[in-house]
Amino acid sequence: MGHGKCLYASMYGIAYRSDLDTFPTPGLLGYWPDTVLANKNSAYTFRNSSGTSLITEKLKKAAEYVGLSHKGIHDIGSSWFGPAHLIIKLSSMAVVLSKYLRVYMFGPGSFCRCATCTELPLECTWGSGPYAGTILLYAQELAINQIWDKNQYDSLNKVNVDASTTTDESVCANLHLHVFHGSDRFSKFEFVDGRYKEFNMTGLKLSKARDFAIFLALKSSGQGIGEQEVSARYSIGGDGSLANVCKMDADISSL
């Protein structure tokens, strides 16, 4: 296994770790970061006005318990993009740490799992305190604290990883879109419920994050109407390439 990890790291210079409900964008083409990029505004710790929360304190103590450093870096998104050897290292650490956190924070005898409880304490539900459903985010936080320093964290002023699919922001100003919870277009819940089956795509401008996401989702699933017209307008051929959508929209706007 160790040999395999070294082989993968040598074969690929850049790697991505991401959730399934995401879309890569044309902005990825030719982009070669020399450090790990991630969204630092995920807000899963629900900190109060003083900047602290039960979650942040639990995670700091969890790191201390196993002798890891915690630099106070919280609320990091679930997607990472950067040098392959660092992404592999972070991913391996997160897998191990998630097993540890499942016992330390949510195992028998822990604050969130008492012997006489019939349901989760309010402090251990989403939005109120440590929540077992987001243990991956917690494990990734401990891992990223071993890789990043404060300068790297401070340098990430732009949210170009895990960007939203509900905005008119340029899709090519971002590297990667993440479909978050919600009903605003593009919504994964509306998509699963079949609400976009009759959606007319002909007015979509694919250089916009929202329109890019809905086109990609509907085209790949055979939903919606007007796909052929949009594909013809952007010269999207049999290979499905969307690499030139930003340039083409810029050219169209200049006419």
Side-chain angles (χ1 to χ4, degrees):
M1 183 176 292
H3 173 73
K5 290 180 181 178
C6 293
L7 175 65
Y8 294 146
S10 63
M11 288 174 61
Y12 302 101
I14 298 293
Y16 224 125
R17 186 275 159 209
S18 186
D19 289 0
L20 291 175
D21 53 349
T22 57
F23 298 98
T25 78
L28 279 172
L29 297 173
Y31 196 93
W32 305 97
D34 57 7
T35 189
V36 175
L37 302 181
N39 188 313
K40 64 178 185 180
N41 301 303
S42 289
Y44 56 78
T45 58
F46 304 103
R47 286 182 273 182
N48 56 32
S49 58
S50 65
T52 61
S53 77
L54 182 59
I55 298 174
T56 60
E57 297 311 304
K58 288 282 186 183
L59 289 173
K60 288 177 181 178
K61 289 180 179 178
E64 181 182 2
Y65 189 79
V66 289
L68 296 177
S69 62
H70 198 298
K71 300 161 187 163
I73 296 173
H74 303 286
D75 296 303
I76 304 303
S78 60
S79 299
W80 298 327
F81 180 50
H85 70 284
L86 291 178
I87 301 300
I88 292 170
K89 181 177 181 180
L90 282 167
S91 300
S92 299
M93 290 173 62
V95 170
V96 174
L97 287 167
S98 65
K99 296 177 180 179
Y100 156 64
L101 289 175
R102 188 170 297 280
V103 175
Y104 182 84
M105 293 180 68
F106 304 102
S110 65
F111 174 76
C112 289
R113 187 177 172 188
C114 67
T116 58
C117 295
T118 57
E119 58 185 26
L120 287 174
L122 177 62
E123 295 84 354
C124 298
T125 56
W126 173 248
S128 299
Y131 177 59
T134 50
I135 198 169
L136 176 60
L137 290 173
Y138 302 157
Q140 291 186 162
E141 174 181 308
L142 296 191
I144 204 79
N145 270 271
Q146 313 312 306
I147 300 294
W148 275 357
D149 57 30
K150 191 175 186 302
N151 289 334
Q152 288 174 302
Y153 176 82
D154 291 341
S155 69
L156 298 176
N157 296 320
K158 172 101 176 61
V159 181
N160 54 10
V161 176
D162 279 336
S164 173
T165 59
T166 63
T167 72
D168 284 335
E169 187 176 354
S170 169
V171 71
C172 291
N174 295 296
L175 305 175
H176 167 272
L177 306 177
H178 199 149
V179 191
F180 299 111
H181 298 277
S183 58
D184 293 337
R185 179 163 65 91
F186 171 72
S187 163
K188 57 188 172 185
F189 302 122
E190 301 283 313
F191 176 74
V192 170
D193 288 342
R195 304 286 180 86
Y196 295 129
K197 287 182 178 179
E198 303 301 321
F199 185 90
N200 188 338
M201 292 187 274
T202 57
L204 295 179
K205 188 174 182 179
L206 300 190
S207 60
K208 294 182 178 181
R210 177 169 51 208
D211 290 2
F212 180 86
I214 195 167
F215 176 77
L216 206 61
L218 300 192
K219 177 179 173 62
S220 65
S221 61
Q223 298 185 48
I225 57 177
E227 179 271 324
Q228 291 183 343
E229 180 177 332
V230 179
S231 292
R233 186 164 77 242
Y234 286 91
S235 301
I236 300 172
D239 64 351
S241 175
L242 296 166
N244 297 317
V245 297
C246 296
K247 180 180 182 302
M248 295 188 72
D249 266 339
D251 292 344
I252 291 170
S253 298
S254 66
L255 296 177

